[in-house]
């Protein structure tokens, strides 16, 4: 590259490298299309593990789950797992988890037996203020307003 033989060498080499990288990206993206059954199984497992994480009380003990936590459960790297979730759902894995948290929080907030702080801790939030902020950001009203 630094010592071109002629005026075309540098452009030809960079074009060849670009073509090689395009093929790599094509191969990477195609595996999400051609492995639909496997990806569907991983997605089902992820949804089950996500549901179990909250229903079992693990969120209260360990806090909010991370993408890396679920990637490890299905034996994938966090980056690949995130790409798979994005291709299957159109959402990032983090957003998918947040949506699950919000869906569950709507159910828990309607339970008048629980305070808003108890709901936050039950979902794995370390601080109730973080729960309230996320809830308002996603739903448009605070948990208290939603309850009323």
């Amino acid at each position: 590259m630094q010592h071109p033989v002629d005026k075309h060498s540098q452009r030809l080499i960079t074009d060849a490298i670009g073509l090689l990288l395009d093929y790599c990206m094509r191969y990477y993206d195609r595996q999400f299309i051609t492995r639909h059954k496997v990806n569907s199984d991983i997605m089902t497992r992820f949804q089950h593990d996500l549901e179990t994480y909250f229903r079992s009380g693990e969120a209260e003990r360990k806090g909010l789950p991370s993408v890396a936590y679920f990637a490890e459960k299905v034996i994938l790297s966090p980056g690949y797992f995130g790409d798979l979730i994005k291709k299957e759902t159109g959402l990032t894995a983090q957003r998918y988890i947040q949506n699950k948290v919000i869906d569950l929080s709507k159910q828990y907030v309607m339970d008048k037996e629980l305070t808003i702080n108890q709901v936050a801790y039950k979902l794995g939030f370390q601080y109730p203020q973080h729960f309230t902020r996320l809830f308002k950001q996603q739903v448009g009203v605070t948990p208290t307003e939603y309850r009323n």
Side-chain angles (χ1 to χ4, degrees):
M1 286 282 295
Q2 294 178 359
H3 305 291
V5 176
D6 55 40
K7 65 181 182 178
H8 304 287
S9 296
Q10 189 175 21
R11 185 179 51 79
L12 289 171
I13 291 170
T14 56
D15 287 349
I17 292 170
L19 181 62
L20 178 64
L21 292 174
D22 286 345
Y23 271 110
C24 291
M25 288 307 299
R26 178 177 180 252
Y27 175 77
Y28 184 77
D29 288 341
R30 283 194 65 201
Q31 66 187 333
F32 295 112
I33 297 166
T34 59
R35 299 183 68 212
H36 181 69
K37 171 71 173 118
V38 173
N39 293 348
S40 179
D41 292 346
I42 291 170
M43 196 62 208
T44 301
R45 170 102 188 268
F46 170 51
Q47 291 166 337
H48 176 265
D49 289 346
L50 186 58
E51 187 76 27
T52 302
Y53 188 86
F54 288 103
R55 297 289 182 208
S56 69
E58 212 168 337
E60 283 181 86
R61 293 187 302 278
K62 295 182 178 178
L64 288 170
S66 67
V67 173
Y69 171 83
F70 290 110
E72 186 178 310
K73 295 230 359 109
V74 294
I75 312 167
L76 295 173
S77 73
Y80 184 86
F81 179 73
D83 287 348
L84 186 147
I85 299 301
K86 178 81 171 176
K87 295 285 185 187
E88 290 292 314
T89 67
L91 301 171
T92 65
Q94 186 64 40
R95 174 63 76 191
Y96 193 90
I97 293 168
Q98 284 177 350
N99 285 354
K100 181 64 176 176
V101 169
I102 293 301
D103 289 345
L104 285 172
S105 68
K106 287 177 181 177
Q107 294 172 20
Y108 294 151
V109 164
M110 296 313 288
D111 182 356
K112 304 266 187 198
E113 300 286 318
L114 296 172
T115 67
I116 300 302
N117 287 352
Q118 288 172 322
V119 170
Y121 294 131
K122 185 175 180 121
L123 291 169
F125 285 88
Q126 192 172 3
Y127 303 105
Q129 301 89 327
H130 292 159
F131 165 65
T132 301
R133 187 177 320 125
L134 177 67
F135 192 93
K136 182 164 183 166
Q137 179 185 6
Q138 297 293 315
V139 180
V141 295
T142 66
T144 306
E145 292 169 337
Y146 186 84
R147 177 179 275 176
N148 296 332

